[in-house]
Structure formats: structure tokens, C-alpha cells
């Protein structure tokens, strides 16, 4: 059996190209196979401009877990782009009649695209307005006025509108449902608001411990007001841990009733019942040393937001706003918290992610929350509790 091998060696030395043939045959004998031909991979397909424009609207305002309905003639490309960007809860349909089968507010967002030969009629947009609080429309420019007018009649307001880059004949419009201020207040006054029952706020004491750590530089006799205190878990914790001079504002009488039942130690502490916009302006200047919120500013209706911000900076020299970033629904309003307070003469002292402030518990819901600390400019650098802190993004 050695003879063929030796012969192959001799041939390989003498015949041009035989060495390469020999090596190839040996490679095949041991199962390696010939070396594959090399070639450049095909270039990736260009991003669809409509899908790209839609997902760009979502990048900074929509949690990745949000439920999204994609409707119309671009469903596959839009859904694919959304999945590429990390959105996972996506429903698609090309059948407009399917909208009638979906429940009220079943989706966070509806994305609807229409071609030049089809428009959004009143019935279709009526269902769109019912099943989601945010609507993204992509359509030819000449159809925009009629479509947005129909949604405005259903209580929506425009958030943005511009041509689609790379598809300039198309316009993308983003609208959101805007409840009247009275409707919003009625929602919060219910005994059991959907998704926000008072009982649910009794449990997360780890949030109260984090709050305590965030203000531990304050003196023990500091007067502290929580705007939107709900059942009082936070102010009760502060009361029991070195800050007895606490007070609250709460729109829900049902939550305040539970507060009085669950936290008897708060007897004698003032809890004002009503909207913040009605109560805060009635306080005297510097009535408190600190005013704080926890997931409340995000629910301030635009009509009352400015008076609330004005009152907060007047009534207390220190502000702590624990709020989520970039929330957007018909009961959430994306106020620029840093700008609102610094424009009113406050100094932005620090920003602390709540997942860092909560050191003894992990809560995914807190991933979006930041604790923004401010001090009035006339108190900054004058022995104020926030001296020496550095603002962080």
C-alpha cells in the first residue's frame, strides 16, 4: 500500500500543478473537502424608508414591550423593522375589517399605512381611535388633512408630522388621544382606577426606602410634602424613619380613606384631597423644605402643568421628582422635567437612576425612572442640603 503513496510524491515533484492536486486529494480522503471559493457577501438590502421612519418615531418614547398593531399595505416590512429594533409584541393585519374585533385600548399603538389609491375612511379611523391611544399614519400628503381631522374629532391631538425621508411623497403623522382635564381627574377619583388601584401602592416599600436614602441629607425637622401621595406609604415611611413633619396632596378620596385606615401614625398630618393644580397654588411661599413626586408629574395634564411647576418652586426650595422617562399614553404626558424646573430658577443638582437608588430589591418597572434633584438658585451654595452634589445625565 506504500507504493501509490511514494509514486504520488514523485509525480508531485515533477509535474507542474500536481502538488496542489495531491493536496486536494488528500484533503478529500480525510473528509475535509476542497477549500471553498471566497467571495464578498451580498450587500444588505437598503432599509425601507417608511419602516425606518416609523421606528424612528418609537425609539425614545415607547417601551419595547408595548403592544403594537400594524395595519395596511406595508405590514411585513414595518413589522420586520420593528422586530429588528427590539419590539416584540406585534400584531399584523391587512384586513381593515379585523379592527372591529379588537377591544378598547387593546394596543398601545396602531401603525396604519395606505397607498395612493386608498385612504383612511371615518369607520376605519373610528376603530383605530378606539383600540389604541397613539396612532401613526403613513399616507400621501394630500390625504393627511382629512385623516388627522377625523382623529381630532375623536379626541386626538397631533404630536408630529413630516415627510418620510427617502419617500417624500409620503407623510408620517403621529397623534395621541388627549383626554379632557376633567375626564382625567374623574379617572383618578374612581375607587379602583384600571391599573392604578390604591391597594397596589401599599406593597412596594422598597421604593419608600429608596426615597428615604435620596433625601437623607435633610434635617429631621424638615417639612416635606408629597404631591400625589396615594395611600400614604411614602409619607408613612418617612414619618416612621426620622421625618415626622410630612404632608400630602392626593386627588383620590378613596386612597386617602385607606391612608387613614392603614397608617394611624399619620393622624394629625395634613393630607389635602384634590388635584395638585387646585391645591398647590394656595400654599404660602416656603411652606415646605422639600416637595417631591413619585410617578405623578407624568400624569399632569398640560392645562395644569405650568401652574403646578410654578407653585412647586415657590412653595419649597428643594424639589425631588421621581419620574419615568419618555412615557406616552392618553394619561401620560412627556414633560421635560429638567427644563421645566431650571427655566423657573432651580438648579439641577443630580439625576439618580431608581434602579441604583433601590439597593435592596430589583423591580423592572423602575428601569425607566430617574430621581431628579433640584434646589432653588437663591439657596444653592448657601449650606443647602444639596451642596457639593454634581449633576449627572
Amino acid at each position: 500500500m506504500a507504493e501509490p503513496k511514494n509514486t504520488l510524491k514523485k509525480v508531485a515533484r515533477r509535474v507542474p500543478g500536481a502538488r496542489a492536486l495531491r493536496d486536494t486529494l488528500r484533503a478529500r480522503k480525510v473528509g475535509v473537502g476542497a477549500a471553498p471559493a471566497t467571495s464578498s457577501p451580498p450587500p444588505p438590502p437598503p432599509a425601507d424608508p417608511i419602516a425606518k421612519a416609523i421606528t424612528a418615531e418609537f425609539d425614545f418614547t415607547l417601551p419595547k414591550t408595548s403592544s403594537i398593531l400594524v395595519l395596511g399595505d406595508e405590514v411585513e416590512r414595518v413589522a420586520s423593522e420593528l422586530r429588528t429594533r427590539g419590539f416584540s409584541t406585534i400584531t399584523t393585519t391587512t384586513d381593515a375589517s379585523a379592527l372591529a374585533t379588537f377591544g378598547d385600548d387593546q394596543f398601545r399603538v396602531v401603525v396604519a399605512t395606505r397607498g395612493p389609491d386608498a385612504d383612511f375612511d371615518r369607520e376605519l379611523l373610528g376603530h383605530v381611535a378606539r383600540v389604541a391611544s397613539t396612532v401613526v399614519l403613513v399616507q400621501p400628503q394630500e390625504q393627511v388633512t382629512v385623516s388627522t381631522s377625523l382623529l381630532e374629532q375623536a379626541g386626538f391631538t397631533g404630536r408630529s408630522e413630516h415627510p418620510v425621508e427617502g419617500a417624500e411623497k409620503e407623510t408620517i403623522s403621529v397623534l395621541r388621544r388627549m383626554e379632557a382635564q376633567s375626564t382625567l381627574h374623574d379617572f383618578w377619583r374612581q375607587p379602583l382606577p384600571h391599573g392604578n388601584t390604591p391597594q397596589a401602592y401599599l406593597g412596594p416599600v422598597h421604593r419608600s426606602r429608596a426615597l428615604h436614602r435620596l433625601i437623607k441629607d435633610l434635617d429631621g425637622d424638615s417639612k416635606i410634602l408629597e404631591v400625589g401621595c396615594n395611600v400614604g406609604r411614602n409619607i408613612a415611611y418617612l414619618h416612621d424613619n426620622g421625618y415626622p413633619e410630612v404632608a400630602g396632596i392626593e386627588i383620590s378620596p378613596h386612597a386617602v380613606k385607606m391612608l387613614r385606615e392603614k397608617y394611624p401614625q399619620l393622624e394629625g398630618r395634613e393630607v389635602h384631597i384634590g388635584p395638585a393644580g387646585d391645591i398647590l397654588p394656595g400654599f404660602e411661599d416656603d411652606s415646605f423644605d422639600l416637595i417631591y413626586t413619585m410617578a405623578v408629574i407624568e400624569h399632569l395634564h398640560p392645562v395644569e402643568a405650568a401652574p403646578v411647576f410654578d407653585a412647586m418652586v415657590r412653595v419649597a426650595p428643594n424639589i425631588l421628582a421621581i419620574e419615568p422617562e419618555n412615557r406616552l399614553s392618553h394619561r401620560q404626558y412627556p414633560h421635560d422635567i429638567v427644563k421645566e424646573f431650571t427655566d423657573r430658577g432651580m438648579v439641577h443638582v443630580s439625576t439618580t437612576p431608581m434602579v441604583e437608588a433601590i439597593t435592596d430589591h430589583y423591580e423592572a418597572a423602575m428601569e425607566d425612572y430617574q430621581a431628579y434633584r433640584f434646589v432653588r438658585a437663591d439657596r444653592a451654595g448657601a449650606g443647602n442640603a444639596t451642596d457639593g452634589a454634581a449633576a449627572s445625565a
Side-chain angles (χ1 to χ4, degrees), residues 124-181:
L124 183 148
L125 289 176
H127 285 303
V128 165
R130 178 182 58 81
V131 303
S133 58
T134 299
V135 176
V136 180
L137 302 180
V138 180
Q139 58 192 325
Q141 175 60 42
E142 60 269 20
Q143 298 176 7
V144 170
T145 301
V146 173
S147 299
T148 56
S149 176
L150 289 171
L151 281 172
E152 285 168 358
Q153 293 173 31
F156 281 69
T157 58
R159 181 170 171 267
S160 64
E161 182 179 302
H162 54 84
V164 175
E165 185 177 352
E168 280 71 19
K169 292 183 179 180
E170 303 292 321
T171 295
I172 183 167
S173 307
V174 182
L175 302 96
R176 55 167 302 193
R177 192 187 304 149
M178 178 73 78
E179 292 185 342
Q181 183 184 17

Side-chain angles (χ1 to χ4, degrees), residues 181 184-185 188-189 225-230 248-252 271-283 288 291-301 303-315 323 335 341:
Q181 183 184 17
L184 182 69
H185 287 176
W188 294 112
R189 289 191 181 103
L225 173 68
E226 179 175 11
V227 177
C229 65
N230 207 285
I249 297 174
E250 173 52 45
I251 192 173
S252 169
V271 177
H272 305 267
I273 301 175
D278 292 350
I279 295 172
L280 267 171
F283 287 113
F288 296 91
I291 295 177
Y292 73 90
T293 68
M294 187 178 287
V296 169
I297 289 177
E298 63 168 328
H299 298 300
L300 282 179
H301 194 280
V303 171
E304 66 182 332
V308 168
F309 292 133
D310 289 343
M312 288 176 73
V313 302
R314 178 181 58 79
V315 172
E323 300 291 334
H335 302 290
F341 286 113

Side-chain angles (χ1 to χ4, degrees), residues 207-339:
R207 299 180 189 175
S208 303
R209 288 194 292 266
L211 166 66
H212 184 267
R213 283 190 286 270
L214 288 166
I215 67 167
K216 64 182 180 180
D217 48 278
L218 294 177
D219 294 336
D221 60 354
S222 297
K223 295 180 180 179
I224 300 173
L225 173 68
E226 179 175 11
V227 177
C229 65
N230 207 285
V231 294
R233 183 199 68 239
N234 285 330
I235 57 175
Y237 187 90
L238 295 180
H239 178 278
D240 296 346
N241 289 274
Y243 295 103
E245 299 298 322
V246 292
I249 297 174
E250 173 52 45
I251 192 173
S252 169
H254 307 284
V256 175
K257 181 176 183 292
M258 186 174 294
L259 177 154
R260 295 301 184 192
E261 294 170 352
K262 296 292 184 180
Y263 302 111
Q265 66 267 45
L266 296 178
E267 183 179 359
R269 302 303 173 196
E270 290 187 330
V271 177
H272 305 267
I273 301 175
D278 292 350
I279 295 172
L280 267 171
F283 287 113
E284 298 290 334
D285 294 359
D286 292 327
S287 295
F288 296 91
D289 297 295
L290 170 75
I291 295 177
Y292 73 90
T293 68
M294 187 178 287
V296 169
I297 289 177
E298 63 168 328
H299 298 300
L300 282 179
H301 194 280
V303 171
E304 66 182 332
V308 168
F309 292 133
D310 289 343
M312 288 176 73
V313 302
R314 178 181 58 79
V315 172
N318 293 286
I319 303 291
L320 175 64
I322 301 173
E323 300 291 334
E325 294 183 304
N326 304 316
R327 295 290 185 90
L328 188 66
S329 77
H330 57 301
R331 297 192 188 101
Q332 292 168 310
Y333 309 94
H335 302 290
D336 186 335
I337 292 174
V338 173
K339 185 176 188 302

Side-chain angles (χ1 to χ4, degrees), residues 45-87:
D48 178 72
I50 292 177
K52 183 179 178 181
I54 290 169
T55 53
E57 295 290 336
F58 290 174
D59 273 355
F60 299 106
T61 60
L62 198 67
K64 300 298 186 183
T65 55
S66 300
S67 57
I68 302 171
L69 172 65
V70 182
L71 167 72
D73 55 5
E74 296 275 349
V75 292
E76 293 307 322
R77 284 186 289 183
V78 173
S80 176
E81 184 72 16
L82 288 170
R83 292 188 183 99
T84 299
R85 298 291 184 99
F87 295 98

Side-chain angles (χ1 to χ4, degrees), residues 32 96 105 111 122 142 171 243 263 272 317 330 351 363 387 392:
V32 175
D105 287 321
V111 176
R122 181 180 295 273
E142 60 269 20
T171 295
Y243 295 103
Y263 302 111
H272 305 267
H330 57 301
T351 298
E363 183 181 3
D387 277 357
S392 59

